[in-house]
Amino acid sequence: MVLVLVIGDLHIPYRTHDLPAKFKKLLVPGKIQQIICTGNVCDKETLEYIRTIAPDVSIVRGDYDDNPAFPLSLTIHHPPLSIGVIHGHQCVPTGDMEQLSALARQMDVDILVSGHTHTFHAQELEGRFFLNPGTATGAWSGSFSTEAIPSFALLDVQGPIVTTYVYQLIEGEVRVEKIEYRKPLEVHPMTPRPPPPQVASPTISSPPKDTVW
């Protein structure tokens, strides 16, 4: 089992000053093995903080990042799964599923992680899984007039199965929802499929009492 934090669009300090305190209480070192960041971190101090949560950090460059060391896209392998990561400003219109699906095919990945919209979204399409963790700080987006909901995602990767836990701060409380994706595997027609393994909920910290697990 590998726990992967997916986070992005923080925009610190230009659009907001910090992560929500209730998120920082959950994101403690020693629980998460890897971090995927969709970009727009914006300052060095925030990047250093992210690296205290887990040393294995993969980050792509957002439209507000000026660090040339950040790539525009990358691919992460957790056999048999491959995960592609982009910021998302490559898609026109923003968040367009046809564009994202074409990018996933071009990158030849099972899961495509993107940001930019500042809104959580998870969808399975044509055997691939598309995930946008939203904005972890709730930073406003110039593309949308509605107030952004602070959110991040935690992936529990177990072989061909990924269980996504989305954490959202709604009305001052952290709420969690679960989504499962299974990579389609080629199986001979005469070969019986093995039963799915049991996936336990990850414990990065004690959630609020009314959290949905």
Side-chain angles (χ1 to χ4, degrees), residues 73-74 82-86 91 97 99-105 107 109-115 121 123 128-133:
S73 66
L74 55 85
S82 57
I83 303 173
V85 189
I86 59 172
C91 293
M97 284 305 302
Q99 293 287 324
L100 290 170
S101 185
L103 283 167
R105 290 194 300 271
M107 298 175 71
V109 293
D110 305 299
I111 299 171
L112 182 64
V113 174
S114 63
H121 180 78
Q123 178 180 348
R128 291 183 168 89
F129 186 60
F130 297 84
L131 173 65
N132 186 325

Side-chain angles (χ1 to χ4, degrees), residues 5 40 47 51 55 74 138 166 184 203 205:
L5 170 65
N40 282 348
L47 180 58
R51 285 176 171 152
L74 55 85
V166 53
T203 54
S205 187

Side-chain angles (χ1 to χ4, degrees), residues 3-25:
L3 290 181
V4 182
L5 170 65
V6 184
I7 194 169
D9 285 302
L10 294 97
H11 288 281
I12 299 172
Y14 304 116
R15 297 186 182 181
T16 188
H17 67 281
D18 202 356
L19 279 164
K22 290 189 176 182
F23 280 1
K24 295 186 86 169
K25 186 177 180 180

Side-chain angles (χ1 to χ4, degrees), residues 174-203:
V174 177
R175 301 183 185 180
V176 185
E177 295 182 8
K178 183 173 72 171
I179 304 159
E180 185 175 291
Y181 164 74
R182 176 192 290 268
K183 176 180 177 176
L185 299 178
E186 293 185 3
V187 179
H188 190 276
M190 299 302 294
T191 303
R193 291 181 178 270
Q198 296 296 317
V199 179
S201 299
T203 54

Side-chain angles (χ1 to χ4, degrees), residues 26-97:
L26 292 171
L27 300 175
V28 296
K31 302 290 185 180
I32 295 164
Q33 286 78 51
Q34 185 178 54
I35 297 175
I36 295 174
C37 181
T38 60
N40 282 348
V41 176
C42 296
D43 73 335
K44 182 180 178 181
E45 290 74 17
T46 302
L47 180 58
E48 290 175 349
Y49 164 73
I50 291 173
R51 285 176 171 152
T52 66
I53 301 171
D56 185 357
V57 179
S58 298
I59 181 170
V60 292
R61 187 162 73 245
D63 50 338
Y64 283 84
D65 288 316
D66 57 7
N67 190 330
F70 297 163
L72 290 174
S73 66
L74 55 85
T75 302
I76 300 165
H77 297 281
H78 287 290
L81 293 168
S82 57
I83 303 173
V85 189
I86 59 172
H87 174 63
H89 59 300
Q90 300 94 329
C91 293
V92 179
T94 297
D96 182 75
M97 284 305 302

